[in-house]
Amino acid sequence: MEYDYNKMLGWAFSNIIEPEVLCAIVNAINKQLPSKPYYRKEEDAEGWACPNCDMDVEHDHGRIKDTYCHNCGQLLDWEDV
């Protein structure tokens, strides 16, 4: 099922007054938009990382292991990675 991002945000902004609730909804919606993980090579850590929270995610030789981050819930897009 595909959702209209702008329609969901419009509904949230017109129906919710509390800024904390609105912020939580916007963050949840943003996590449903796929983001590309990045390859991190540092002294203490090497491998693929979530673009949202910087935690490790797994990708094994073209076989996708994680479709979302198990730490923050960010949807991951491995296409062209």
Side-chain angles (χ1 to χ4, degrees), residues 3-75:
Y3 294 99
D4 183 343
Y5 180 77
N6 291 325
K7 187 175 180 179
M8 287 189 291
L9 280 181
W11 179 90
F13 280 115
S14 62
N15 291 294
I16 298 173
I17 297 171
E18 297 84 10
E20 298 84 17
V21 174
L22 186 58
C23 186
I25 290 172
V26 170
N27 287 337
I29 291 171
N30 283 333
K31 286 183 183 177
Q32 298 307 306
L33 299 173
S35 294
K36 294 192 180 300
Y38 68 95
Y39 195 79
R40 171 181 57 203
K41 188 172 184 176
E42 298 172 355
E43 219 174 271
D44 58 340
E46 182 175 352
W48 293 98
C50 173
N52 188 50
C53 69
D54 200 41
M55 294 299 290
D56 292 341
V57 292
E58 299 214 13
H59 181 268
D60 186 27
H61 304 292
R63 230 179 70 222
I64 298 171
K65 288 186 178 178
D66 292 339
T67 54
Y68 66 94
C69 175
H70 294 280
N71 183 59
C72 71
Q74 175 66 53
L75 185 62

